[in-house]
Amino acid sequence: MALLEQASTLGPLREKIEAGERLDLEDGLAILESDDLLSLGELADLARRVRGGTDEVYFVQNLYLNQTNVCRVKCKFCAFAATRKQEHAYTITPEELVRDAVEQCAATGFTEIHMVNGENPHIGFDFYVDTIRSLAQALPDVHLKCYTASEIHHMTTLSGLTHEEVLRELKDAGLGSLPGGGAEIFADRVRALIAPGKEHPEIWFHVHDTAHRMGIPTHCTMLYGHVETYEERVDHILRLREQQDRTGGFLAFIPLAFHPENTVFERRGWRHTTGADDLKMLAFSRLMLDNVPNIKAYWIMMGMPMAQVALHFGANDVQGTVMRETIFHAAGARTGTEQQIGELVRFVREAGRIPVQRDTLYNELRRW
Ligand code: SF4
């Protein structure tokens, strides 16, 4: 029975993938509704290879920064944001941030800064430009992947500038690319439920479209595992695919599993996504997004054992070493980083793949 079911739902998908044909909305639903997890993984891996994928698995050495957690938006799924009056609210000056980043870089040697923030209404656009310029001057070899589309849009309301003008100033100051946050789920129904204060998806797309046309690459995401339906997941991924057809500037897609801790959803009894759903989402992403070259299994979120399995479900990137100097401080130098890289390398190798350290733009820096 299970075999018959598999043949009837996934069989046509296999034919399409082998023929290099694009999957459609019904195919997307068939993938998400299938419980044949191993066949989905095998199909996703096939799709990855048919489209030119190799055995290489990428990771990057990066530093995560959040300059302010003060945010006006109040998304219901967010456990990070604060109002200015709350005790845990903070805003780090450009000087402090740069000092910290330079110290971290000396200790760990990262090649990328990934920075996202709250939409703080109490600081001006100049604050962001100063931050990027100071970081670029202090760390000229480090790629600055900073500010979600939502933050870029927030900067237009702070400054009165257009998306293009904001991006131009930031690019001239040293911005290299944009992370993919703020996408959540594009369907209006879901946005109204989980992030009613967030900008309309058309704005998210306009920022990415503008960035791509200006030569600024970006990333894209989906926050799944809350109130969205399978149809809304498929709709989300098809909208991203259409954007990539238009401008081709997405470097990677990162499916982000919803974490209910410390949100209103936790009080309502929401639970974490399961491993099966996470793997299915990776396979679904790889199968549907035929024009985005890299799909990330974010090991910090999934755990390395699950990320290892994900490498057989269409993922070809495990994101990277995310660390702070304080963690590995005592040993000095790069010991901590090397230990973490060693673990990543071991996991990737034992999954039967070739570990490759990359820069943000997927240029190879080192391989094992
Ligand atoms: S905009 Fe970002 S920081 Fe602000 S509440 Fe929403 S998810 Fe949190």
Side-chain angles (χ1 to χ4, degrees):
M1 184 63 192
L3 276 177
L4 276 178
E5 198 179 300
Q6 176 192 334
S8 63
T9 57
L10 300 183
L13 264 69
R14 173 180 290 278
E15 285 169 25
K16 277 188 165 184
I17 287 156
E18 284 173 343
E21 282 177 37
R22 182 157 262 196
L23 304 188
D24 59 22
L25 188 141
E26 280 71 33
D27 297 325
L29 287 175
I31 294 165
L32 291 174
E33 281 163 5
S34 171
D35 289 325
D36 191 352
L37 207 54
L38 293 183
S39 295
L40 287 176
E42 196 258 327
L43 268 185
D45 202 49
L46 173 71
R48 192 181 61 76
R49 290 182 190 282
V50 163
R51 297 171 194 157
T54 64
D55 280 342
E56 286 156 349
V57 168
Y58 295 103
F59 66 90
V60 68
Q61 212 177 322
N62 57 9
L63 176 73
Y64 273 59
L65 294 176
N66 306 113
Q67 194 169 11
T68 178
N69 66 347
V70 176
C71 186
R72 55 162 203 94
V73 186
K74 301 187 175 58
C75 300
K76 293 190 179 151
F77 57 82
C78 180
F80 165 73
T83 61
R84 187 163 57 164
K85 291 189 179 145
Q86 283 182 295
E87 217 173 293
H88 63 292
Y90 71 84
T91 300
I92 302 168
T93 64
E95 297 73 33
E96 281 177 83
L97 189 94
V98 169
R99 201 177 319 119
D100 175 43
V102 168
E103 280 174 17
Q104 305 288 339
C105 196
T108 66
F110 56 79
T111 63
E112 169 187 290
I113 288 179
H114 173 120
M115 179 164 65
V116 296
N117 303 294
E119 295 186 23
N120 188 335
H122 309 291
I123 50 181
F125 178 48
D126 288 352
F127 179 92
Y128 297 101
V129 179
D130 282 354
T131 299
I132 293 294
R133 188 177 295 112
S134 310
L135 281 172
Q137 282 168 358
L139 299 166
D141 297 330
V142 171
H143 181 103
L144 303 179
K145 174 185 164 197
C146 305
Y147 310 135
T148 64
S150 309
E151 289 175 81
I152 298 294
H153 183 62
H154 174 61
M155 292 176 207
T156 66
T157 62
L158 292 175
S159 63
L161 299 175
T162 64
H163 290 152
E164 181 169 354
E165 288 165 341
V166 163
L167 287 167
R168 174 75 53 211
E169 283 209 33
L170 292 171
K171 187 181 183 197
D172 288 348
L175 181 77
S177 64
L178 300 185
E184 324 313 355
I185 292 277
F186 295 130
D188 288 341
R189 184 194 74 87
V190 178
R191 253 177 144 74
L193 287 171
I194 65 165
K198 197 156 249 181
E199 77 288 341
H200 194 270
E202 276 174 22
I203 291 176
W204 189 94
F205 278 106
H206 189 259
V207 171
H208 284 268
D209 192 278
T210 307
H212 295 176
R213 292 179 199 280
M214 293 170 65
I216 302 172
T218 72
H219 302 74
C220 53
T221 60
M222 179 198 301
L223 182 72
Y224 67 95
H226 40 89
V227 301
E228 84 287 2
T229 62
Y230 281 168
E231 283 82 359
E232 286 159 343
R233 287 190 194 181
V234 180
D235 168 69
H236 185 101
I237 217 92
L238 291 181
R239 291 201 218 187
L240 290 174
R241 193 170 77 181
E242 283 162 19
Q243 179 62 53
Q244 184 75 335
D245 280 346
R246 283 193 292 275
T247 51
F250 290 132
L251 290 170
F253 174 74
I254 309 107
L256 299 169
F258 174 59
H259 284 223
E261 293 94 346
N262 303 317
T263 73
V264 292
F265 294 100
E266 183 182 34
R267 294 193 285 282
R268 291 178 196 163
W270 288 74
R271 309 280 291 275
H272 270 275
T273 56
T274 61
D277 199 19
D278 294 340
L279 290 174
K280 192 189 283 188
M281 271 304 294
L282 279 161
F284 164 75
S285 312
R286 173 60 78 186
L287 287 162
M288 298 300 291
L289 280 178
D290 52 21
N291 53 3
V292 176
N294 303 296
I295 305 287
K296 287 189 193 180
Y298 192 10
W299 75 267
I300 305 268
M301 206 167 63
M302 310 179 80
M304 192 41 99
M306 184 62 97
Q308 215 177 5
V309 180
L311 299 179
H312 296 274
F313 279 73
N316 69 320
D317 191 315
V318 288
Q319 178 61 355
T321 60
V322 180
M323 58 191 310
R324 293 196 61 80
E325 187 269 340
T326 44
I327 298 172
F328 295 104
H329 179 77
R334 298 178 180 214
T335 315
T337 312
E338 288 297 330
Q339 276 170 3
Q340 200 182 33
I341 288 177
E343 271 299 277
L344 273 174
V345 165
R346 186 169 75 87
F347 270 91
V348 170
R349 271 191 172 152
E350 290 192 7
R353 297 288 157 86
I354 303 163
V356 174
Q357 186 179 345
R358 63 169 173 87
D359 66 10
T360 308
L361 304 177
Y362 284 85
N363 298 305
E364 179 176 329
L365 300 179
R366 183 177 170 191
R367 76 166 47 216
W368 284 261

